[in-house]
Amino acid sequence: MVLSKVGIVAFMILFNVDSVFNNVMSSHIDKMKSEWDSDVFLDSFGLLTKYGYAPERISVTTEDGYVIDTFHIPRSGPPVLLVHGITDSSDEWLVLGPNRSLAYQLADAGLDVWLYNSRGNRYSREHRDNIPKKEYWNFTYEEMGTQDLPAVIDHILNVTSQEKLSYIGFSQGTTIFFVMCSMKPDYNTKIEVSILLAPVAWIAHLKLPTIGIVSRNLELLSSITEALGLYELYPFKISNVIKSLSCLRLYPTNVCYIDFYINYGLVHSDYLSPDKIAVIGSHIPAGTSNLNFQHFIQNYSSKRFQRFDYGSKKNLKVYSSKQPPLYNVELVTAPVSIIASEIDWYSTNDDVQKLKSKLPNIKRFIALNSSLEFSHLEFVYGTRVQKIVNERVINILLDDLNMR
Ligand SMILES: *[C@@H]1O[C@H](CO)[C@@H](O)[C@H](O)[C@H]1NC(C)=O
Ligand SMILES: *[C@@H]1O[C@H](CO)[C@@H](O)[C@H](O)[C@H]1NC(C)=O
Ligand SMILES: *[C@@H]1O[C@H](CO)[C@@H](O)[C@H](O)[C@H]1NC(C)=O
Ligand SMILES: *[C@@H]1O[C@H](CO)[C@@H](O)[C@H](O)[C@H]1NC(C)=O
Ligand SMILES: CC(=O)N[C@H]1CO[C@H](CO)[C@@H](O)[C@@H]1O
């Protein structure tokens, strides 16, 4: 118990060590630039431009004033919105390049592609009213689902003069879809097709090895971060690049893979596109709020898919009930196609089965056999992503949108 608290404090201090490291190392960046895959240094706009996709960067302001940046690859076909996972960004759909990343391939298939960035990540950092930090970072995935997505979807439908769009979400990108469709059920009618990769709603069976310690110490953890004014978790930093480069150097005895084994349940290093590992590493993490992380962990302890838990006293004030209300996924009437892997640590079989039993409109349910050893991050960063994920996604879209 004491040890784990010491560990958490040490962890918090590392945040600052990391920023010193960051400042020292950034002066060496230019020197290193010429030596490596230049994709390491490119953001979504840079990657799309390099590969000839002429993107636009478009900002949309939500009702509560957050400025959400999307990247748009204009095409004449129907619109499709791609929604990334936690502490990630639109880069997720791009970093493996046109041969393996979905965004380019959907544009090649003629779809009008939009890439979302959640509030607080490396791209969506502004607020209309320039509110103080403490107020700015006061959000979880609930606001992404009830504010960000509706604003972005309305903008897309408006500029494309369409009534519906298609939605592709990965991990947290599925959580916020469930939040939107259950809390703002009108939006179900704006979804033509949805494809949900590694869906996350209930996480009672999460297999992360550190989850026990973290969830038992959640209150302590939140009071420390609060006291230190650390409202942002795992921000995108230039030191991501340095870390990822050091990774490549040590290949094949690669320490950077340890993170992927311990935190994501990766089975073989070869499964995580080894030729692009430095590019992947330099683009994640991309930042979120501490509160968002807390919200996910609360639901682990409670075994409920529910709104943020402020403690019974404040819950009474905010929700008029001691327990936070549940997200009612039975209201998610939009058609969904799900691809889930049986060995996923985050989107576990037990939790996905529960979700499956409650969703009213599942068009397809594709379970990736455990013998494939297909782990969470492989849905977007995997060596085998083309056959196992991308081809299926594109086929579903072409079928359901009658584009053949
Ligand atoms: C994509 O694959 C093709 C054929 O395998 C190869 O010629 C091309 O260089 C690849 N493109 C990129 C950007 O890696
Ligand atoms: C954060 O949001 C909650 C719920 O809307 C509110 O009660 C609280 O006062 C907010 N805190 C800050 C610092 O804005
Ligand atoms: C839709 O677009 C029109 C003009 O392009 C604009 O005036 C209007 O405010 C937009 N509505 C929304 C909801 O974005
Ligand atoms: C799934 O993999 C197991 C081996 O791990 C195999 O026995 C089983 O037949 C497979 N199931 C399907 C449906 O392919
Ligand atoms: C942090 C945490 O565990 N919060 C709550 C999770 O849900 C249970 C049951 O609803 C509560 O008792 C916890 O306080």
Side-chain angles (χ1 to χ4, degrees):
M1 189 64 190
V2 172
L3 247 188
S4 68
K5 287 187 184 178
V6 171
I8 286 167
V9 173
F11 176 70
M12 302 317 301
I13 292 169
L14 274 178
F15 266 95
N16 294 330
V17 174
D18 197 38
S19 74
V20 173
F21 179 71
N22 172 21
N23 289 336
V24 174
M25 292 311 283
S26 55
S27 59
H28 297 280
I29 282 259
D30 281 339
K31 215 172 72 190
M32 299 179 82
K33 265 191 181 173
S34 54
E35 291 179 35
W36 306 91
D37 185 337
S38 67
D39 289 9
V40 158
F41 300 96
L42 297 177
D43 66 4
S44 285
F45 196 91
L47 287 165
L48 282 163
T49 305
K50 171 176 171 180
Y51 292 112
Y53 284 76
E56 301 175 321
R57 181 169 180 159
I58 290 170
S59 302
V60 178
T61 303
T62 64
E63 266 174 27
D64 62 352
Y66 286 73
V67 180
I68 304 303
D69 276 22
T70 61
F71 292 95
H72 177 210
I73 314 171
R75 293 291 183 272
S76 58
V80 57
L81 176 63
L82 273 60
V83 181
H84 62 80
I86 189 168
T87 72
D88 212 335
S89 74
S90 50
D91 302 348
E92 178 180 292
W93 307 104
L94 300 167
V95 293
L96 299 187
N99 284 342
R100 271 172 297 160
S101 277
L102 196 54
Y104 311 99
Q105 298 178 6
L106 294 173
D108 291 346
L111 287 132
D112 190 48
V113 177
W114 297 75
L115 307 173
Y116 164 78
N117 281 294
S118 66
R119 57 179 63 195
N121 87 357
R122 65 178 293 195
Y123 299 111
S124 298
R125 305 187 68 80
E126 304 287 313
H127 191 281
R128 180 187 56 207
D129 307 326
N130 262 325
I131 53 178
K133 269 193 170 181
K134 189 171 176 176
E135 226 177 289
Y136 177 88
W137 292 102
N138 190 20
F139 64 80
T140 77
Y141 61 78
E142 173 155 320
E143 285 75 20
M144 298 174 197
T146 56
Q147 293 280 337
D148 295 4
L149 287 181
V152 168
I153 288 173
D154 285 340
H155 178 84
I156 296 171
L157 296 182
N158 193 0
V159 299
T160 57
S161 306
Q162 299 284 315
E163 277 171 10
K164 295 179 183 229
L165 53 66
S166 300
Y167 185 103
I168 299 173
F170 165 63
S171 193
Q172 176 187 269
T174 72
T175 315
I176 67 180
F177 180 80
F178 300 133
V179 170
M180 174 180 74
C181 292
S182 61
M183 296 197 69
K184 294 198 158 175
D186 287 357
Y187 280 84
N188 284 294
T189 62
K190 302 188 183 190
I191 305 298
E192 181 85 54
V193 175
S194 75
I195 303 173
L196 306 180
L197 309 173
V200 172
W202 285 268
I203 54 168
H205 297 89
L206 191 73
K207 294 206 181 95
L208 191 64
T210 48
I211 188 66
I213 291 178
V214 174
S215 67
R216 277 193 301 278
N217 292 284
L218 191 59
E219 241 166 77
L220 176 75
L221 199 74
S222 21
S223 51
I224 294 174
T225 51
E226 173 95 32
L228 295 178
L230 295 170
Y231 305 115
E232 183 176 10
L233 189 71
Y234 303 130
F236 176 82
K237 292 177 184 163
I238 202 71
S239 57
N240 286 4
V241 172
I242 309 285
K243 276 182 232 150
S244 82
L245 295 181
S246 68
C247 249
L248 244 198
R249 280 214 166 138
L250 294 169
Y251 190 80
T253 29
N254 207 325
V255 282
C256 79
Y257 277 106
I258 291 172
D259 176 43
F260 296 120
Y261 292 129
I262 295 180
N263 289 318
Y264 297 98
L266 181 68
V267 180
H268 290 301
S269 55
D270 279 356
Y271 290 163
L272 209 59
S273 304
D275 59 319
K276 286 285 181 187
I277 193 69
V279 185
I280 298 168
S282 68
H283 287 83
I284 53 177
T288 190
S289 68
N290 256 308
L291 280 184
N292 187 33
F293 180 71
Q294 283 178 38
H295 192 175
F296 272 108
I297 303 301
Q298 285 180 351
N299 285 201
Y300 170 78
S301 328
S302 67
K303 305 195 188 321
R304 289 153 57 95
F305 182 37
Q306 66 181 9
R307 300 182 65 186
F308 192 81
D309 189 347
Y310 296 101
S312 52
K313 218 168 146 191
K314 187 163 175 195
N315 285 344
L316 257 181
K317 258 200 220 152
V318 181
Y319 307 123
S320 312
S321 64
K322 281 190 181 170
Q323 263 199 334
L326 300 172
Y327 295 114
N328 183 4
V329 297
E330 285 166 23
L331 299 179
V332 183
T333 54
V336 303
S337 293
I338 288 176
I339 308 182
S341 171
E342 289 173 357
I343 64 135
D344 196 324
W345 283 8
Y346 291 83
S347 172
T348 61
N349 210 21
D350 288 336
D351 290 332
V352 171
Q353 288 306 324
K354 178 159 189 172
L355 175 66
K356 191 182 168 195
S357 73
K358 291 182 188 285
L359 284 173
N361 193 4
I362 298 180
K363 290 199 73 173
R364 295 176 191 79
F365 183 86
I366 300 166
L368 305 177
N369 194 323
S370 52
S371 61
L372 282 172
E373 302 177 326
F374 201 75
S375 61
H376 198 62
L377 288 183
E378 291 173 61
F379 279 90
V380 283
Y381 298 125
T383 313
R384 302 172 291 169
V385 71
Q386 188 59 26
K387 277 231 146 23
I388 295 179
V389 180
N390 295 2
E391 285 179 12
R392 284 191 170 108
V393 167
I394 292 166
N395 283 330
I396 291 171
L397 279 176
L398 296 183
D399 283 345
D400 290 1
L401 297 172
N402 295 315
M403 286 177 71
R404 291 189 196 275

